[in-house]
Amino acid sequence: MTAAEAAPTAESATPAPAPAPAVPAPPRTPLVARAAAELIGTALLVAVVVGSGIQATELTKDVGLQLLANSTATVFGLGILILLLGPVSGAHFNPVVTVAEWWTARRGGDGVTPREVAVYLPAQVVGAIAGAILADAMFGEPLVKWSTHDRSAGHLLLGEVVATAGLVLLIFGLARADRLQFAPVAVASYIGAAYWFTSSTSFANPAVTIGRAFTDTFAGIAPGSLAGFIGMQVVGGVVGLALVALIFMPGRPAE
């Protein structure tokens, strides 16, 4: 063996760096806590919507001012709830968002499992009903009184498609663009705007729609209008996911 062969090379003399230790994934919040967050969050959201509607009608007879008060309270309430409960359950408060997230997860993305969907959806509906009853109780209204506010006109149904499609596009577009940290402000701002630019005042949420049928006040919706609104919200959710797939399609590597 020559001296050159015996001499260690730079590569052999320098030990290979040890691989970085794997960072364990943070423990996931228990499902019961996430379900509680969805129930309580949806309840408080409906309490804000219904309660501010009742308060507005007691303070003024001007329908424009009533809608302004209702939408402003909803913007602030929804933003705070997403900020608070988002780290726990994702702050869906909406069956369309939950099912859409499950759909994206089954296609390889992050999202909820079928078991979580089965827990989230009833929690959201029960929470919405409880929120409407709570708002009625706070303002001395009958705890349960079916709404007589008919919302079955075709242009209102179109408004629900637009409102829900825009909401799904916003949420999942933010996720695709890695901008979910802006969700509390972005989602609340969108709902506040949609109060005014959609004919339906942007329910965009089957659970909230069901809850609002339990109160015969400013924010109510007649039970006979539920099927149409919820059906159009589902259609809007599908349209929103299609728009996300179209607008945020992954780029191709350069040839």
Side-chain angles (χ1 to χ4, degrees), residues 160-172 190 197 236-237 239-240 243:
E160 277 304 285
V161 175
V162 173
T164 311
L167 177 63
V168 170
L169 173 60
L170 172 62
I171 293 171
F172 291 90
Y190 171 80
F197 80 77
V239 171
L243 291 173

Side-chain angles (χ1 to χ4, degrees), residues 9-55:
T9 63
E11 290 81 359
S12 63
T14 304
V23 179
R28 195 161 191 200
T29 306
L31 182 56
V32 64
R34 284 177 276 146
E38 286 297 303
L39 190 152
I40 293 170
T42 311
L44 291 176
L45 173 59
V46 174
V48 168
V49 173
V50 174
S52 62
I54 297 172
Q55 183 79 284

Side-chain angles (χ1 to χ4, degrees), residues 185-222:
V185 172
V187 173
S189 298
Y190 171 80
I191 291 298
Y195 254 89
W196 292 91
F197 80 77
T198 65
S199 55
S200 63
T201 66
S202 183
F203 285 47
N205 184 328
V208 169
T209 303
I210 293 171
R212 289 168 69 165
F214 283 73
T215 177
D216 191 21
T217 57
F218 178 80
I221 177 173

Side-chain angles (χ1 to χ4, degrees), residues 124-142:
Q124 292 159 354
V125 172
V126 171
I129 296 170
I133 294 172
L134 174 62
D136 284 339
M138 287 191 293
F139 286 92
E141 300 286 338

